[in-house]
């Protein structure tokens, strides 16, 4: 894959141009863009951001237009394992790799990011948005208008947030970022290795990545969630295509945890019922989240015969 | 046609991997060696499907399949096609993980496990193991035992010309690109072609680097492909497809549906509410698609009463009806349907529209290179059968979405993954589709125009439709404003200019005529066209005969000769039954020799093909400006035969006749107006000038 970072003619939008080669796949869109003008553009971070964004589509060769340093090329190759990816344009001469001081929480609009924002000290919260037409950057918040999300696989919390990580790496120097906090509660078996490789890759460009919620129990997580009303507002702001936050599994997971911690059995059952309905209607739940709606905490699929508002399938 | 001779019952737990081997009149000793290597794999519960594409010794192949506990399917075929054999085998395979290979390739024991592990890590991929060729002396006679160390030592690496004798992938990739291209006969190029299309559809090609993943090609004398003149032609033909065909989805006239194959290529999604009769008509039109590998998902957005009974007798396993007890609005229902869809593509369809039979075929064929979908033109129709062609614009992009509507939402066929990311905004009471398509265009997703009309769109005239329409306009205005407000004034002007430069798609007239034939039967009428051997001169007798026909059948279309020899060339009459047709024939055959009689179906509102063609060219359905012409048919026809190619006469309810004319050039129209004035008031013609 040949990749390049360019500014569009308005000089306001950063575009990642890419050209698939013989073994590469073609993404759903032929360009990736951010409504954000990059000021500082470090060569190595650019190459790393391209690799992370286009991770599902690269096979065979990665050729960033500005190349990369020798100390980044090895973790870049390792990042794609077990794919054998050649990295082209490797420069032997030493070069500066910037470093920052600030911590950013990368948000994906989930109850997990709501908990992360409550649980961990941070300087900045960053999220991508496909439905806003302009980027909003403030001292504490950055909402980045972008189509990067279209380049993600949806199977797993880490896969889904890779485009946001790629964006954060691109403007890490401009924003003085040193540490990225991911709102990940669990990883799929495939993602466990990927996370380790990602950590090595980001470390090579002076960026630490952490997933402090990883493995945290739901009870502990509940401590950091806002009240249901506060959470509804949080979710409404981040899911602008939804009229009701009640249509999100995130809302009912938070409700369920809140009811459980308060010993409200009826409330817990109701939340579990609504979660089951949403899951049967195609909403994706992780293994542990599915465990929340099993009567015995197992991870079996629930019965299709749901309550009355449950859609039925007939043929 | 595939005729399964033997197939085991589908297991409850699917096997981890289905190995599909295509074969025709092959060395059975090599096949047995290959099967032995698969059965010696570290993965024990592999399914092996032998797809026999017309072997003369099929009984022998069947016995070997039984010995090695393989599923065996047989297809009658005259010519060997590795593509068709593999497709037939995959359709019967039970696993979601598919390995296609040949009967002369042996696999080292760890290879299957490594393939599966790679596929687990890279689900959207085609996994390839580098093949090694065994030398002469390592043919079927010398491989009673596998000494893997020795085989590695003596073998040589096969360059990556093709896929090296195997390809491993998920079943959903097969559904997405619809199999190996069956136009490629014999063998050669089909693997490369499959992988190229898989890559364009988003799957990577991964050459496995694990040293324990090893496959070997058993030595045998080279085949004759490529040496005979017929063989050379096959090679050239396959090569041409590989190099020149940029489409992603193939074999559109074939179906690979089966009990074990669970991934449809397309999901047709329909959200509906309180329109049971229209929905039934709409769903029926979907079920008549020429491309068959689809499912239909209907989401009933809280209809009262429930609409399901209206679909009960459409007995088709591809149809699924989902019920939302409480109405949540169109956008919610569409998102709901999309979330339940399993097809690799989603065809958006409206509950009151009619899908033209070749819609899926044509739109899938239009997906070239890395396009994520396609769209087409549509034809508006109303309850009179009047038609208006809306071809749409050739380019779908952000500029066009902001300043004009280049496409109709109900004609879009798009990758499901795009709609997993971009959702309808259910805050919008109407026209969330415009907002959605604008965001998709801004995201840089390419959709191609298929160059055809793909749906008949029902035009509603009642008041609620008007109210809905004004709400739609308001929402699309908001959507456009949001998009434009983010641009500088200069860029806004550039986009406006670009949108104006986006030309209308050029859809052939024949497509419009063909589409008209798919209107509901109640809007169509059967016409009898009688063509005369020699043009009938306009005379008192002929006029009297036409008057007699008009008194019985109320209307008649008359075509005039265009050569120097004027007169009546043909007449077209609505003839409801056989008896009427007989009566008309006996009346007209007395007037002159009949050259031919054709029956044609036309929308009721159009008297003849010329008027239908005129509607296509005008891109609008204007009311016909009929004029009163009194009772002097002979006089009127004398005038018309000199200036018009045809005319339409009908009985005036008050007295005399009314005359309809095809579109005419201005000067001709003025001349006719002047000449016809003496036969009647001529108000309509005057007004039309």
């Amino acid at each position: 894959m040949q990749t390049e970072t360019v500014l569009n003619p308005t000089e306001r939008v950063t575009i990642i141009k890419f050209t698939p080669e013989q073994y590469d796949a073609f993404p759903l869109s032929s360009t990736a863009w951010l409504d954000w003008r990059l000021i500082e553009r470090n060569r190595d971070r650019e190459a790393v951001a391209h690799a992370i964004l286009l991770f599902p589509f690269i096979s065979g060769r990665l050729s960033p237009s500005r190349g990369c340093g020798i100390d980044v090329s090895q973790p870049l190759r390792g990042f794609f394992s077990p794919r054998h990816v050649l990295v082209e344009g490797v420069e032997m001469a030493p070069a500066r790799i910037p470093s920052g001081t600030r911590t950013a929480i990368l948000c994906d609009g989930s109850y997990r990011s709501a908990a992360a924002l409550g649980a961990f000290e941070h300087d900045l919260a960053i999220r991508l948005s496909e439905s806003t037409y302009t980027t909003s950057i403030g001292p504490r918040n950055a909402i980045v208008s972008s189509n990067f999300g279209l380049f993600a696989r949806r199977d797993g919390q880490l896969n889904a947030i890779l485009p946001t990580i790629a964006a954060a790496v691109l403007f890490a120097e401009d924003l003085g970022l040193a540490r990225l906090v991911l709102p990940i509660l669990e990883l799929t078996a495939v993602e466990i290795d990927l996370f380790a490789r990602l950590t090595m890759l980001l470390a090579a460009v002076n960026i630490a990545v952490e997933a402090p919620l990883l493995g945290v129990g739901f009870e502990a997580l509940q401590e950091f969630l806002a009240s249901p009303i506060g959470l509804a507002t949080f979710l409404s702001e981040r899911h602008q295509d939804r009229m009701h936050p009640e249509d999100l599994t995130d809302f009912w997971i938070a409700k369920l945890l809140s009811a459980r911690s308060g010993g409200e059995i009826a409330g817990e059952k109701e939340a579990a019922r609504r979660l089951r309905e949403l899951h049967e209607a195609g909403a994706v739940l992780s293994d542990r989240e599915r465990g929340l709606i099993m009567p015995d905490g197992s991870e079996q699929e629930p019965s299709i015969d749901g309550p009355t508002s449950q859609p039925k399938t007939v043929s | 046609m595939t005729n399964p001779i033997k197939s085991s019952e589908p297991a409850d737990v699917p096997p981890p991997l289905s190995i599909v081997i295509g074969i025709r009149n092959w060395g059975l000793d090599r096949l047995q060696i290959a099967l032995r290597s698969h059965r010696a794999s570290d993965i024990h519960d592999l399914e092996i499907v032998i797809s026999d594409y017309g072997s003369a010794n099929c009984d022998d192949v069947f016995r070997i399949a039984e010995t090695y506990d393989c599923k065996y399917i047989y297809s009658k075929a005259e010519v060997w096609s590795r593509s068709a054999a593999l497709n037939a085998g995959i359709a019967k395979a039970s696993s979601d993980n598919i390995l296609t290979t040949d009967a002369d390739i042996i696999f080292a024991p760890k290879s299957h496990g490594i393939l599966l592990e790679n596929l687990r890590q890279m689900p959207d991929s085609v996994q390839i193991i580098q093949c090694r060729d065994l030398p002469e002396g390592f043919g079927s006679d010398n491989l009673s035992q596998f000494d893997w160390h020795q085989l590695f030592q003596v073998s040589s690496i096969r360059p990556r010309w093709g896929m090296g004798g195997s390809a491993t992938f998920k079943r959903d990739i097969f559904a997405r690109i619809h199999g190996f291209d069956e136009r490629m006969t014999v063998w050669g190029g089909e693997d490369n072609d499959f992988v190229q299309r898989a890559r364009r559809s988003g799957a990577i090609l991964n050459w496995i680097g694990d040293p324990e993943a090893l496959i070997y090609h058993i030595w045998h004398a080279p085949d004759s492909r490529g040496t005979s003149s017929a063989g050379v032609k096959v090679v050239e033909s396959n090569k041409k497809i590989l190099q020149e065909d940029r489409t992603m989805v193939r074999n559109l006239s074939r179906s690979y549906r089966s009990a074990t194959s669970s991934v449809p290529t397309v999901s047709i999604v329909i959200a509906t509410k309180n329109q049971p009769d229209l929905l039934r008509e709409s769903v029926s039109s979907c079920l008549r698609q020429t491309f068959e590998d689809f499912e239909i998902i209907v989401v009933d957005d809280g209809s009262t009463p429930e609409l399901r009974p209206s679909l009960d007798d459409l007995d088709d396993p591809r149809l699924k009806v989902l019920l939302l007890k409480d109405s949540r609005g169109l956008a919610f229902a569409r998102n709901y349907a999309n979330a339940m869809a399993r097809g690799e593509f989603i065809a958006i369809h409206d509950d009151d529209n009619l899908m033209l039979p070749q819609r899926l075929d044509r739109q899938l064929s239009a997906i070239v290179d890395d396009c994520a979908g396609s769209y087409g033109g549509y034809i508006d129709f109303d309850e009179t059968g009047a038609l208006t062609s809306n071809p749409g614009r050739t380019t779908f992009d952000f500029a066009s979405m902001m300043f004009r509507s280049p496409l109709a939402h109900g004609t879009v066929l798009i990758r499901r993954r795009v709609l997993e990311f971009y959702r309808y905004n259910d805050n919008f009471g109407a026209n969330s589709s415009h907002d959605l398509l604008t965001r998709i265009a801004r995201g840089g997703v390419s959709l191609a125009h298929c160059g055809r009309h793909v749906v008949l769109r029902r035009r509603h005239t009642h008041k609620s439709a008007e109210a809905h329409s004004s709400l739609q306009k308001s929402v699309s205005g908001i959507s456009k404003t949001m998009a434009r407000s983010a641009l500088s004034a200069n860029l806004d002007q550039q986009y406006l200019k670009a949108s104006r430069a986006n030309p209308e798609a050029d859809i052939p007239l024949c497509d419009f005529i063909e589409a008209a034939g798919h209107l509901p039967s109640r809007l169509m009428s059967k016409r009898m066209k009688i063509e005369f051997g020699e043009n009938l001169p306009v005379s008192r007798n002929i006029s009297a005969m036409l008057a007699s026909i008009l008194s019985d059948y109320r209307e008649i279309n008359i075509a005039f000769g265009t050569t120097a020899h004027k007169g009546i060339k043909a007449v077209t009459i609505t003839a409801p039954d056989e008896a009427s047709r007989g009566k008309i024939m006996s009346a007209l055959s007395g007037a002159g020799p009949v050259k031919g009689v054709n029956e044609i179906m036309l929308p009721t509102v159009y008297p003849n093909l010329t008027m239908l063609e005129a509607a296509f060219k005008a891109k609008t359905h204007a009311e016909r400006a009929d004029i009163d012409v009194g009772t002097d048919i002979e006089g009127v026809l004398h005038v018309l035969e000199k200036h018009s190619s045809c005319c339409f006469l009908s009985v005036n309810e008050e007295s005399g006749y009314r005359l309809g004319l095809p579109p005419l050039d201005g000067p001709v129209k003025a001349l006719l107006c002047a000449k016809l004035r003496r036969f009647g008031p001529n108000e309509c013609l005057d007004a039309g000038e």
Side-chain angles (χ1 to χ4, degrees), chain A residues 10 12 21-26 28-30 33 56-59 82-84 130 132-134 145 147 149-150 153-155 189-190 240-244 247 280-282 308 311-315, chain B residues 118 120-124 160 199-200 202-207 209 308 319-323 328 332 336 339-340 370 417-418 421-427 438-439 442-445 482-483 486 491:
Chain A
T10 66
R12 211 182 91 174
E21 296 183 299
Q22 236 172 344
Y23 301 164
D24 300 318
F26 288 72
L28 290 166
S29 172
S30 54
W33 53 264
F57 309 101
I58 294 174
S59 185
R83 277 172 268 175
H84 287 259
E130 60 83 12
T132 55
Y133 280 90
T134 48
S145 174
N147 75 341
L150 192 54
R153 288 190 60 85
R154 312 248 156 260
D155 49 351
V190 172
Q240 297 197 13
D241 56 349
R242 312 269 185 164
M243 190 184 288
H244 304 292
D247 294 330
E280 286 163 7
T308 50
K312 304 287 186 194
T313 303
V314 294
S315 57
Chain B
N118 274 268
R120 190 179 71 87
Q121 298 210 29
M122 295 165 251
D124 214 354
R160 296 180 177 183
R199 286 180 46 237
R200 292 204 295 270
I204 55 171
L205 167 61
N206 185 50
W207 286 84
R308 210 176 67 193
L319 173 62
K320 295 176 181 65
V321 183
L322 309 173
L323 169 65
R328 294 291 308 274
F332 182 91
Y336 188 95
M340 299 302 280
D370 56 344
R417 287 181 188 177
V418 175
F421 182 66
Y422 291 104
R423 303 176 76 260
Y424 295 92
N425 190 327
D426 61 33
N427 290 288
T438 304
R439 282 152 51 216
R442 183 171 180 248
V445 175
M482 285 194 298
L491 193 56

Side-chain angles (χ1 to χ4, degrees), chain B residues 627-633 636 649-650 652 655-659 676 678-681:
Chain B
I627 53 177
D628 292 333
V629 286
T631 55
D632 184 2
I633 293 181
V636 170
L649 279 174
S650 60
N652 193 338
S655 68
Y657 301 101
R658 286 182 70 76
L659 171 69
L676 290 172
R678 64 190 161 102
F679 298 106

Side-chain angles (χ1 to χ4, degrees), chain A residues 12-55:
Chain A
R12 211 182 91 174
V13 176
T14 301
I15 295 172
I16 309 297
K17 286 173 69 176
F18 52 84
T19 309
E21 296 183 299
Q22 236 172 344
Y23 301 164
D24 300 318
F26 288 72
L28 290 166
S29 172
S30 54
T31 52
W33 53 264
L34 292 159
D35 183 34
W36 180 303
R37 184 165 71 91
L38 288 181
I39 311 293
E40 299 294 339
R41 291 175 48 198
N42 176 267
R43 176 195 67 183
D44 294 317
R45 286 184 171 177
E46 254 182 48
V48 167
H50 296 176
I52 295 171
L53 177 68
L54 297 168
F55 175 71

Side-chain angles (χ1 to χ4, degrees), chain B residues 228-301:
Chain B
S228 67
S229 64
V232 168
K233 273 187 187 164
V234 167
V235 171
E236 285 305 314
S237 165
N238 289 1
K239 202 185 212 176
K240 195 171 175 201
I241 293 169
L242 176 65
Q243 291 174 345
E244 295 178 11
D245 192 334
R246 294 153 53 214
T247 60
M248 185 187 291
V249 191
R250 304 277 170 83
N251 310 313
L252 298 172
S253 61
R254 305 296 302 262
S255 172
Y256 304 118
R257 281 187 297 141
S258 74
T260 49
S261 170
S262 59
V263 186
T265 300
V266 180
S267 294
I268 300 170
V269 298
I270 305 172
T272 187
K273 185 180 177 185
N274 292 341
Q275 306 205 86
D277 295 336
L278 298 185
L279 175 71
R280 191 189 148 74
E281 213 166 63
S282 179
V283 170
S284 301
S285 73
C286 297
L287 290 171
R288 289 193 289 269
Q289 286 300 295
T290 54
F291 178 79
E292 296 177 8
D293 290 351
F294 63 85
E295 64 173 2
I296 303 175
I297 306 233
V298 175
V299 172
D300 177 3
D301 184 29

